[in-house]
Amino acid sequence: MLDLKLLRNSTKEVGALLKRKGYEFDLVNWSDLENQRKILQSETESLQSELNTLSKEIGELKRSNKDSSGKEKNATELTARIKTKSKDLDILLKTINQIVMGMPNIPDEEVPDGKDESDNIEVRTFGAVPKFNFTPLDHLELGSLHKGIDMESGAKITGSRFSVLKSDFAKLQRSLISFMMDVHVNENGYKEVYVPFIVNSQSLEGTGQLPKFEEDLFKLEGDQSYYLAPTAEVPVSNLLRDEIIESKQLPIKLVSHTPCFRSEAGSYGKDTKGIMRLHQFEKVELVQAVEEGDSDEALEELTIHAESILKKLEIPYRVVLLCTGDLGFASAKTYDLEAWVPSQNTYREISSCSNFRSFQARRMMARWKNPSNGKTELLNTINGSGLALSRTLLALVENFQQKDGSIAIPDALRDYFKADSIKQN
RNA sequence: GGAGAGGUGGCUGAGUGGUUGAAAGCGCUCCCCUGCUAAGGGAGUAUAGGGUUAACCCCUAUCGAGGGUUCGAAUCCCUCCCUCUCCGCCA
């Protein structure tokens, strides 16, 4: 959510900035609603103030056993007027809130203009793209060769875009999870948390998935509005909701491994093969909360932490800065990490690291106490995957495949996998 | 699932219809005193929204959430959520 004061005082400027992200801010409608609100709110409040005074007077009269019936009659009338007005005000405020909750974050200045991912800017690359002296297989071919990826069973058990991992492939995923968690906890300074995978609508509003993107989520049946978490970002960030953090606790750095559930509405026909895009996948997520001035640095740091996994696994990758058209709803600036996928002869997203500034914190009321001025201020949140498991597994097996069909295990992972390769049995 | 208790400011915790936005304590900030690994005295210290100012300041809302009763609700009524205790069931 954007700052209401900013929206009111710099409406045009905000409109121009949001336009970069493809959001049309209806300035006329907005200022019309705002003018109505201003009038209605001050009218309602002054009537309320009048009533409060009157009620106090009635109280005093009653205490001294004097007649208050005249004043009470006035008050009854006032109450009725207030009721009508505040109903109108309520509707108006809800309308305005709906608009504001549907407005994306303002992109940072250094975010390049662009319409889609083709306009993203490559920031840096790591590792040499492997050259095979044989025809490399894709991850699904490798998966069936080793009987490690079973899409048919996934479809049978549940449906399309669900997968089953078996034997060494299942073990590889488990090793990767432990490896990533250990690196982030022991080397990068994160605290491990285990959180619910089912979240309520308030949490989803806090991080920005609701109200706008409900169709991307799996909603549970029942009286409560529960959803399957699309990313650990939701439960982990919401640990801070309605909290006031002491400055000595900052920065907060949390890491969590969770499954993620996404309906993938609108992605029909995209990445239909294999485990690139699933309704359920595992992810290790990094979340930071810092004071306002520190968020730029925190994004750089968090991105490097996510990269550290790819580096250790020796998977070639590149870092791209997302352009305005590819930037997520809540993000002010995002770096994507893209791992090399030999079968597609291109880099594919494996992590997305974003600076949300105060956008999420304002929705969540996640704050900290600034000792330098004694004020309670909004936190800034930053998060990123470190990393998405199915895509890491995919990139690993494709990049490390050998001519004989075996898959080498990167050195860094061997303590976890307890073997130096995956061989056919 | 059954029975009971409860949800108040950063924290603990008073408060059962009328200057209670809320006592007291803790914590925190500032000042004074004192002086050494301590203590004492004083002042200040919720959040959100709105109006207004150079600054001050004023108004409104908020005592789990949402409704209701009333001139007036933290206090009464209804619904829901959550926590705790006991019982039952269970990984």
Side-chain angles (χ1 to χ4, degrees):
Chain A
M1 194 167 94
L2 296 174
D3 185 6
L4 280 172
K5 282 205 178 93
L6 186 75
L7 276 173
R8 282 167 189 154
N9 300 333
S10 320
T11 313
K12 272 192 191 141
E13 291 82 345
V14 173
L17 291 168
L18 288 177
K19 195 160 189 155
R20 292 189 62 210
K21 216 166 173 172
Y23 180 87
E24 283 297 335
F25 186 22
D26 190 339
L27 299 177
V28 177
N29 183 43
W30 171 261
S31 49
D32 187 42
L33 287 171
E34 261 300 299
N35 286 335
Q36 282 184 53
R37 191 220 95 232
K38 223 179 233 180
I39 295 164
L40 203 52
Q41 182 165 349
S42 53
E43 278 177 2
T44 311
E45 287 186 356
S46 67
L47 282 178
Q48 187 62 52
S49 166
E50 222 178 295
L51 177 65
N52 288 346
T53 313
L54 201 53
S55 291
K56 264 178 200 163
E57 287 170 8
I58 292 169
E60 275 161 38
L61 287 174
K62 290 222 163 174
R63 241 172 306 154
S64 50
N65 279 320
K66 285 183 187 148
D67 176 51
S68 62
S69 56
K71 282 189 190 293
E72 279 185 47
K73 211 177 146 198
N74 285 345
T76 310
E77 215 174 282
L78 250 181
T79 308
R81 278 169 64 198
I82 289 170
K83 220 166 216 172
T84 328
K85 265 211 199 304
S86 61
K87 231 170 229 160
D88 293 344
L89 179 63
D90 225 47
I91 293 167
L92 195 55
L93 287 175
K94 273 192 184 130
T95 309
I96 290 173
N97 186 52
Q98 222 168 7
I99 293 173
V100 174
M101 287 295 275
M103 286 170 88
N105 203 355
I106 293 172
D108 274 8
E109 278 178 29
E110 65 267 36
V111 172
D113 282 309
K115 62 175 196 309
D116 56 39
E117 60 179 43
S118 61
D119 293 320
N120 294 342
I121 291 176
E122 184 176 289
V123 177
R124 56 181 173 268
T125 61
F126 167 87
V129 168
K131 292 210 164 62
F132 298 99
N133 56 5
F134 56 94
T135 308
L137 304 176
D138 70 28
H139 76 278
L140 209 49
E141 291 165 332
L142 287 163
S144 28
L145 186 66
H146 293 274
K147 298 187 177 58
I149 300 176
D150 180 354
M151 299 308 293
E152 291 75 26
S153 291
K156 177 176 67 182
I157 296 166
T158 312
S160 69
R161 293 195 192 277
F162 285 89
S163 72
V164 172
L165 296 182
K166 291 177 174 170
S167 51
D168 277 346
F169 275 54
K171 181 176 148 198
L172 179 59
Q173 168 161 283
R174 180 162 53 85
S175 320
L176 282 166
I177 292 166
S178 292
F179 164 71
M180 290 180 193
M181 292 300 286
D182 281 350
V183 170
H184 293 311
V185 169
N186 299 329
E187 297 177 24
N188 296 334
Y190 289 77
K191 194 172 122 189
E192 182 171 352
V193 288
Y194 171 83
V195 292
F197 309 150
I198 294 174
V199 295
N200 60 32
S201 55
Q202 246 189 309
S203 293
L204 288 157
E205 276 164 22
T207 35
Q209 284 78 11
L210 287 180
K212 252 195 138 172
F213 305 102
E214 183 161 22
E215 69 278 7
D216 296 340
L217 303 167
F218 285 112
K219 187 173 186 181
L220 302 185
E221 293 270 351
D223 296 335
Q224 286 110 339
S225 47
Y226 284 169
Y227 298 79
L228 296 179
T231 157
E233 165 190 349
V234 180
V236 175
S237 304
N238 274 279
L239 283 168
L240 301 167
R241 173 146 57 88
D242 296 319
E243 296 290 334
I244 298 173
I245 307 296
E246 287 193 48
S247 70
K248 58 176 172 241
Q249 291 179 271
L250 297 175
I252 287 176
K253 295 166 73 174
L254 302 172
V255 60
S256 191
H257 155 242
T258 71
C260 304
F261 302 93
R262 299 184 182 180
S263 77
E264 293 298 340
S267 65
Y268 308 111
K270 217 195 261 177
D271 301 320
T272 47
K273 196 175 167 190
I275 60 171
M276 181 59 92
R277 191 176 298 277
L278 297 168
H279 288 308
Q280 174 186 325
F281 63 97
E282 303 295 299
K283 186 153 63 74
V284 167
E285 182 77 3
L286 304 172
V287 173
Q288 288 202 27
V290 302
E291 49 189 89
E292 180 155 22
D294 295 348
S295 71
D296 286 320
E297 204 182 321
L299 175 63
E300 299 302 323
E301 185 199 81
L302 186 140
T303 306
I304 287 168
H305 290 156
E307 285 178 65
S308 72
I309 301 295
L310 287 167
K311 279 198 176 127
K312 284 174 189 287
L313 294 176
E314 303 165 57
I315 295 172
Y317 71 90
R318 64 172 190 168
V319 181
V320 298
L321 175 62
L322 297 196
C323 72
T324 51
D326 206 19
L327 196 61
F329 174 76
S331 176
K333 181 180 177 181
T334 298
Y335 291 115
D336 271 6
L337 270 50
E338 299 180 340
W340 180 254
V341 178
S343 65
Q344 299 186 7
N345 199 40
T346 187
Y347 290 99
R348 294 300 307 269
E349 177 187 343
I350 200 164
S351 167
S352 197
C353 304
S354 302
N355 184 354
F356 302 94
R357 305 208 174 274
S358 58
F359 189 86
Q360 294 182 325
R362 188 172 289 106
R363 290 170 167 240
M364 293 193 291
M365 289 300 281
R367 295 159 299 169
W368 68 291
K369 199 99 181 168
N370 185 345
S372 70
N373 58 16
K375 290 247 165 72
T376 306
E377 299 176 2
L378 290 169
L379 288 164
N380 276 205
T381 54
I382 301 95
N383 70 46
S385 1
L387 307 160
L389 263 304
S390 50
R391 290 189 181 178
T392 304
L393 185 138
L394 182 158
L396 194 154
V397 298
E398 287 202 14
N399 280 288
F400 281 79
Q401 62 180 300
Q402 309 296 309
K403 190 168 187 176
D404 63 0
S406 69
I407 297 157
I409 297 298
D411 286 344
L413 201 59
R414 290 187 183 175
D415 280 350
Y416 293 86
F417 190 74
K418 312 281 189 208
D420 55 12
S421 71
I422 297 176
K423 292 190 173 69
Q424 279 173 268
N425 45 14

